[in-house]
Amino acid sequence: MKLTFTLLILLIAATGYSQKIKLQLNLQKDSTYTITMNAKMDIDQLIQGAHQIVKTTITGVMSHKVISIQDTLYDMDVTYKSLVMNMELGGKTINFNSQDNDTTNIMSKAMRNMIGNSFTIMMSKRGQIVTVKNTERLFAGIFKGFPAIDEQKKTQLMAQLQQSFGDKSIKGNLQESFVIFPKVQVDVKSNWTNQTFLEAAAISAKTKTTFTLDGVTDDAYEISGTAVIMADKVPEFKNSNKFFIRLLNIAGDNVTKVKINKKTGWIMQSNVKKHIKGDVELKQTLDGPILITYPMVIDGDLSTTGN
């Protein structure tokens, strides 16, 4: 009787035990993993009492081929398969599409010339984007097949593309989706905190996110997160449309929902909703005085699907 009672207690304890889970990427060499990113950003600038609103949507399909695995790091060749950008400004809508065969749309043609050119990222098993390199390959031959345009327009076009597809911008977008994994094993309803840094265009900010493992399904882990966004170091002035600007006094928050594949750790679905506010300082020349300071509010919605 005593033995039976002891076994019963052990059985109850074993049944009630929650097995710890190691959340991380488990990718295979020479395998290719794809994500489709849809980034929407609404910018509201209050300039001299008038709201100036810019709405931008960028959609891109990216393939990630694992070239090598070094301990806890993955070296990947990343290639854009398609790119679409839509912008609404001052009642006008501008569309750029890498699959558009309209030879008169210079930006679409430039984006089409970026397709298939690979760059390199190094990502840890915890999803940290360690390095983004060789993005200059994206712009190699970008003016191939272009009609004759002057050097000033080429320089402006290159600057616009590098602002959206340069090392820092790509790193910032990728880490929004992937820096979700904890340092230690967790169980359902466990919490952990990660911190990321964003330095792109005229913004320098850090995000502190508290994640929760909400649940486990047959094929996925479901994770949610809430974050506080704050200023990091003082950003430098950046050239933007013949002016120099930077964003100060940054504050905000975001909410994250992620579903990752149980086998690979790769993102199946992800959504990040972001709200940021700050103050813009604007100069006409880099060494000149500040002409105007005005508030800016940014609302972003980044959705990602992967396989």
Side-chain angles (χ1 to χ4, degrees):
M1 181 67 180
K2 184 177 180 180
L3 179 59
T4 303
F5 180 75
T6 301
L7 290 173
L8 181 60
I9 293 297
L10 290 173
L11 180 61
I12 292 173
T15 303
Y17 175 73
S18 176
Q19 185 177 2
K20 295 287 186 178
I21 300 168
K22 182 64 174 178
L23 298 175
Q24 64 178 19
L25 291 169
N26 296 292
L27 309 181
Q28 301 298 313
K29 185 176 181 296
D30 296 326
S31 294
T32 299
Y33 305 86
T34 302
I35 60 173
T36 299
M37 302 181 72
N38 187 62
K40 297 180 180 180
M41 184 177 294
D42 294 349
I43 299 176
D44 185 351
Q45 304 173 97
L46 184 60
I47 303 176
Q48 296 180 337
H51 287 277
Q52 294 188 9
I53 299 174
V54 180
K55 296 185 177 184
T56 305
T57 302
I58 299 177
T59 301
V61 179
M62 308 165 69
S63 69
H64 303 68
K65 184 176 181 179
V66 180
I67 302 303
S68 66
I69 302 174
Q70 307 173 33
D71 296 325
T72 61
L73 299 177
Y74 298 104
D75 279 316
M76 300 183 185
D77 270 352
V78 182
T79 306
Y80 280 104
K81 298 299 184 182
S82 66
L83 282 168
V84 179
M85 180 185 294
N86 299 310
M87 182 179 294
E88 296 179 25
L89 172 63
K92 296 182 179 180
T93 301
I94 306 171
N95 298 303
F96 310 123
N97 191 332
S98 65
Q99 298 177 324
D100 187 353
N101 291 320
D102 182 2
T103 57
T104 64
N105 191 321
I106 292 177
M107 183 66 87
S108 290
K109 191 172 183 61
M111 294 173 75
R112 186 163 61 250
N113 287 344
M114 292 168 59
I115 300 304
N117 298 336
S118 68
F119 58 96
T120 307
I121 69 170
M122 180 179 287
M123 182 187 295
S124 75
K125 288 191 173 184
R126 289 191 57 226
Q128 293 178 314
I129 312 301
V130 180
T131 58
V132 177
K133 298 186 298 183
N134 304 318
T135 54
E136 69 275 5
R137 295 177 186 169
L138 288 172
F139 311 112
I142 197 170
F143 297 114
K144 182 179 179 181
F146 263 49
I149 57 175
D150 61 43
E151 290 302 317
Q152 183 178 0
K153 287 185 177 180
K154 284 185 178 181
T155 300
Q156 290 175 348
L157 177 59
M158 182 68 78
Q160 290 174 342
L161 289 171
Q162 288 177 331
Q163 186 170 335
S164 297
F165 302 102
D167 294 4
K168 293 178 180 179
S169 295
I170 289 174
K171 182 176 182 179
N173 287 333
L174 285 174
Q175 71 181 5
E176 288 283 8
S177 299
F178 281 99
V179 183
I180 56 176
F181 299 103
K183 295 180 180 179
V184 298
Q185 293 183 341
V186 295
D187 51 25
V188 175
K189 303 305 178 185
S190 289
N191 298 321
W192 64 94
T193 300
N194 288 345
Q195 185 164 278
T196 59
F197 296 88
L198 172 63
E199 189 175 351
I203 299 175
S204 181
K206 56 186 176 183
T207 301
K208 185 177 182 180
T209 308
T210 299
F211 291 101
T212 303
L213 176 58
D214 294 322
V216 181
T217 66
D218 290 341
D219 61 349
Y221 296 118
E222 297 176 342
I223 299 169
S224 63
T226 57
V228 176
I229 302 169
M230 63 203 86
D232 188 24
K233 59 186 178 182
V234 177
E236 299 177 354
F237 282 92
K238 298 291 184 180
N239 194 342
S240 177
N241 197 24
K242 298 182 181 180
F243 288 94
F244 292 87
I245 67 170
R246 68 179 179 184
L247 185 62
L248 300 176
N249 305 320
I250 295 172
D253 54 68
N254 71 33
V255 177
T256 302
K257 285 283 188 181
V258 187
K259 182 184 291 186
I260 61 173
N261 186 287
K262 287 178 71 172
K263 182 178 179 180
T264 65
W266 195 252
I267 289 175
M268 299 171 68
Q269 293 179 343
S270 172
N271 180 255
V272 181
K273 294 185 184 297
K274 186 185 300 292
H275 177 80
I276 303 174
K277 60 182 180 180
D279 297 314
V280 175
E281 290 185 342
L282 183 145
K283 295 181 175 183
Q284 190 157 20
T285 64
L286 190 58
D287 297 326
I290 296 172
L291 299 179
I292 187 172
T293 301
Y294 56 87
M296 174 187 286
V297 177
I298 303 172
D299 286 300
D301 189 331
L302 174 63
S303 295
T304 304
T305 57
N307 55 56

